[in-house]
Amino acid sequence: MAAIDCGTNSIRLLVADLPEASAGPHSQLTDLTRRMEIVRLGQGVDRTGRLAPEAIERTRVALASYAADIEKLGAERVRMCATSASRDAANASDFTEMVQATLGVAPEVVTGDEEARLSFTGAVRGLPADAKEPFLVVDIGGGSTEFVVGDRAGGVRAAISVDIGCVRMTERHLSDDPPTPEQVAAAQADIAAAVDRALAVVPGREAATLIGLAGSVTTVVAIAEDLQEYDPERIHHARVSYDAVAEVTEDLLARTSAQRLAIPVMHPGRADVIGAGALVLRVIMERAGMPSVVASEHDILDGIAWSLQPASR
């Protein structure tokens, strides 16, 4: 099966072998390839309401390469989900036509609720048995952040998507490099208001474990763990304290993009927006009263793959 997650900042591919449903809830998928490209599809969407032609073209180039991998690996089914930027754009049809022509299937512009549920499935499957429930799963994307509360047995209890993300907050507030204290304060206030709205719908303060998804979280955790190269195996299920997240966030917001780029674990396409992403994580931990966050390398991409699982015979 092939799963593609196209967000505001990145486009990612997972091709995997999936077990039959009869294999049980603790069975795992077998990765054949995972890929990620920063294409910044949501460039300027918050300001213009439209997808930029150059952003669509960057996405097409990455998608064409993914399509070649999918064909080479012989995937039997393909599902592509497009998220925040595609929901917001007035010219979303241009994007849809490009995907159909390049990949041979149409993208599903999933709702915020479906996005949250896919993220929860991907994150919770494979958690250590001693991880305390219920879980608050937060998926910090480029344009939006999903909040989901649930447990293993009952699944999702409540979910919401709010329009705070690393690209959107950078474009909206953090215009200087590095951002001024006034810009950071404005971003923090905007984020806090959105987080409080989310926590009024999703009972995140009642959760026992916070699980953080996506590149902003995994990068912050990698920096907090002082990794000298990005190592998914060491990041996956690493637990980092609020104090460590706050320290990393303050440091990132004080640096220029060029200085952030010099950090060993930093992806080049994330250096200009990681400060905002870290700030979103820190504010969520503050407002939800979470003393630590567990990072997960498995997220909505894995949830998309699991949604293709063959039915039990």
Side-chain angles (χ1 to χ4, degrees):
M1 309 298 173
I4 298 173
D5 168 39
C6 186
T8 302
N9 197 42
S10 65
I11 184 168
R12 300 179 301 147
L13 167 71
L14 168 61
V15 182
D17 288 332
L18 294 181
E20 296 285 346
S22 58
H26 299 294
S27 59
Q28 297 297 310
L29 54 81
T30 302
D31 290 13
L32 300 179
T33 189
R34 283 183 189 259
R35 293 183 57 188
M36 187 272 286
E37 301 288 342
I38 301 287
V39 295
R40 197 65 58 84
L41 178 63
Q43 170 193 333
V45 166
D46 191 54
R47 177 177 52 84
T48 67
R50 299 180 64 83
L51 295 171
E54 62 269 27
I56 295 176
E57 174 59 16
R58 288 193 299 266
T59 306
R60 186 198 65 78
V61 171
L63 196 57
S65 179
Y66 289 179
D69 273 4
I70 290 167
E71 182 176 7
K72 180 175 67 176
L73 292 168
E76 297 173 15
R77 294 184 65 192
V78 180
R79 185 182 185 193
M80 176 175 172
C81 292
T83 54
S84 179
S86 301
R87 284 199 302 268
D88 298 343
N91 61 333
S93 61
D94 295 345
F95 170 74
T96 300
E97 290 170 6
M98 179 278 290
V99 171
Q100 182 72 54
T102 307
L103 189 64
V105 299
E108 299 176 46
V109 182
V110 296
T111 65
D113 183 67
E114 173 69 1
E115 187 176 350
R117 291 171 190 276
L118 289 169
S119 295
F120 185 84
T121 299
V124 169
R125 193 146 189 167
L127 275 176
D130 61 355
K132 293 183 179 180
E133 304 176 76
F135 306 116
L136 168 60
V137 175
V138 294
D139 187 344
I140 302 173
S144 64
T145 294
E146 285 64 57
F147 294 71
V148 198
V149 167
D151 53 38
R152 291 184 178 93
V156 173
R157 296 184 191 174
I160 190 172
S161 178
V162 293
D163 284 341
I164 50 172
C166 59
V167 175
R168 193 185 297 271
M169 291 298 98
T170 299
E171 291 185 349
R172 186 178 292 176
H173 297 292
L174 308 181
S175 55
D176 286 1
D177 188 25
T180 66
E182 293 78 14
Q183 290 169 356
V184 172
Q188 181 171 315
D190 196 359
I191 294 164
V195 171
D196 286 347
R197 289 197 302 274
L199 293 176
V201 175
V202 172
R205 295 184 178 95
E206 300 172 12
T209 302
L210 172 65
I211 304 168
L213 313 183
S216 289
V217 175
T218 57
T219 301
V220 168
V221 168
I223 295 169
E225 295 285 276
D226 198 27
L227 300 186
Q228 294 307 298
E229 62 179 8
Y230 193 92
D231 185 345
E233 291 187 4
R234 290 185 62 185
I235 295 167
H236 189 48
H237 294 163
R239 183 184 293 271
V240 172
S241 69
Y242 168 79
D243 288 343
V245 170
E247 182 178 343
V248 170
T249 301
E250 183 177 4
D251 178 67
L252 288 170
L253 288 169
R255 292 180 183 235
T256 65
S257 292
Q259 289 168 336
R260 295 179 204 137
L261 191 57
I263 298 171
V265 297
M266 189 66 61
H267 188 287
R270 205 173 297 284
D272 60 333
V273 296
I274 186 60
L279 187 60
V280 172
L281 176 60
R282 194 199 80 194
V283 172
I284 289 171
M285 295 179 75
E286 287 173 357
R287 309 304 284 192
M290 289 293 174
S292 63
V293 59
V294 175
S296 177
E297 287 282 345
H298 294 176
D299 51 27
I300 187 173
L301 190 62
D302 301 74
I304 295 167
W306 281 115
S307 75
L308 297 172
Q309 186 179 44
S312 180
R313 293 187 177 89

